[in-house]
Structure formats: C-alpha cells, structure tokens
Amino acid sequence: FKYMISYSATQDQQKDAFLTSIPDQHAQKIFRHYLPLVDHPVDDPAKEGLFIPSKIKDMAAPDDYIVLKLDKGNGSMKQKMVQYLLDNDDVHVDELLWEID
C-alpha cells in the first residue's frame, strides 16, 4: 500500500500502541492525525474541523484505490459523509467499511 491515514477526534492509546507491532517498512506509511471532524465541507479545516471526503478529494490520485473505514459512534455525521460521497462524483471511494454501533 502507498500509505494509510487515520483521522480521529480523540487520541486512542490502545490504537497507538498497536502501531508498534507493525513492521517498520509498513509503519512508516501509517499516519495518525487527531483533529475535530465535521459533517460538511469547510473552508479552513485547521479552524473548523476536517471533512474526510474533502481530504480524500484533495489527496487521492485518479488511479489510487481508496478504502474508507468509518468507526462506530456519531452515526449522523457519518451518514452525512456517506450521502455526500453518493451525491458527488468528484470524490471516489472504492471500498467503504462502516462499523455499526
């Protein structure tokens, strides 16, 4: 894989500890970011929060294979993200994984 990026509103020490078990050649391709997430596109994510579909649109190349995994919790925000993906052809996700509460 090219890289894996994880966005979360709060830090999870258990998930961070898991990263130490990943071989170095893969661990250097994994990035974790902690910042507020929002359910709509914003002008300034650093101030307003990150809308994941916008980040995918900004970062993904046309030939990238995109897997989006949504963790459980805050279902209404995640439903809005999925609806945005369905309504906007300019953001592509090849696989969507959704953890159910």
Side-chain angles (χ1 to χ4, degrees), residues 1 3-7 52 56 60 64-70 85 92-98:
F1 62 94
Y3 52 81
M4 183 189 92
I5 304 171
S6 170
Y7 298 101
I52 292 175
I56 292 170
D64 286 345
Y65 191 85
I66 307 296
V67 178
L68 175 60
K69 179 187 176 282
L70 299 172
L85 292 170
H92 87 272
V93 171
D94 297 287
E95 287 189 50
L96 174 65
L97 309 171
W98 189 323

Side-chain angles (χ1 to χ4, degrees), residues 8-48:
S8 180
T10 58
Q11 190 163 358
D12 184 330
Q13 292 178 352
Q14 199 170 22
K15 287 181 183 177
D16 289 343
F18 168 75
L19 293 175
T20 62
S21 69
I22 298 172
D24 288 341
Q25 73 266 25
H26 300 300
Q28 62 187 340
K29 299 176 186 179
I30 299 173
F31 306 94
R32 292 186 56 80
H33 302 279
Y34 304 100
L35 62 161
L37 303 177
V38 295
D39 64 3
H40 59 279
V42 297
D43 292 326
D44 188 353
K47 291 182 181 176
E48 301 173 69

